[in-house]
C-alpha cells in the first residue's frame, strides 16, 4: 500500500509568486479532501499550520470549486 499523501509547502524564495504575473485570477470557493483516514490527515495538516475540509472516503480524492465569470466550476 502506498503511503498516504502529505501536505506540501512551496517556498518561492526570491522568485516572484505566480499570482503576481498579471494572469486572470479566480476565487477558490471550496476545497475538499476525501481520505480513508481523515483524522490522520487533519493532524498532518494541523502540524504544518494548514487547514482544509477533510471528509472520509474510500480513496484519496480532491475537489475544488472555483468561481469563474461563467459561473462555478468544479475540479475533481
Amino acid at each position: 500500500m502506498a503511503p498516504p499523501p502529505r501536505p506540501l509547502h512551496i517556498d518561492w524564495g526570491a522568485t516572484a509568486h505566480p499570482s503576481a504575473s498579471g494572469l486572470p485570477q479566480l476565487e477558490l470557493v471550496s476545497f475538499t479532501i476525501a481520505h480513508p483516514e481523515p483524522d490522520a490527515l487533519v493532524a498532518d495538516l494541523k502540524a504544518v499550520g494548514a487547514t482544509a475540509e477533510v471528509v472520509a472516503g474510500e480513496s484519496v480524492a480532491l475537489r475544488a470549486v472555483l468561481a469563474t465569470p461563467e459561473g462555478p466550476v468544479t475540479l475533481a
Side-chain angles (χ1 to χ4, degrees), residues 3-74:
R6 298 290 186 234
L8 174 68
H9 174 77
I10 298 174
D11 181 356
W12 296 102
T15 304
H17 188 278
S19 67
S21 67
L23 293 172
Q25 297 181 10
L26 301 174
E27 176 188 357
L28 177 63
V29 175
S30 66
F31 182 75
T32 307
I33 305 169
H35 195 278
E37 297 179 32
D39 293 337
L41 181 57
V42 168
D44 289 343
L45 290 168
K46 187 176 180 179
V48 296
T51 60
E53 180 182 356
V54 180
V55 298
E58 290 185 25
S59 61
V60 175
L62 305 176
R63 181 176 181 266
V65 178
L66 305 173
T68 78
E70 304 298 322
V73 172
T74 299

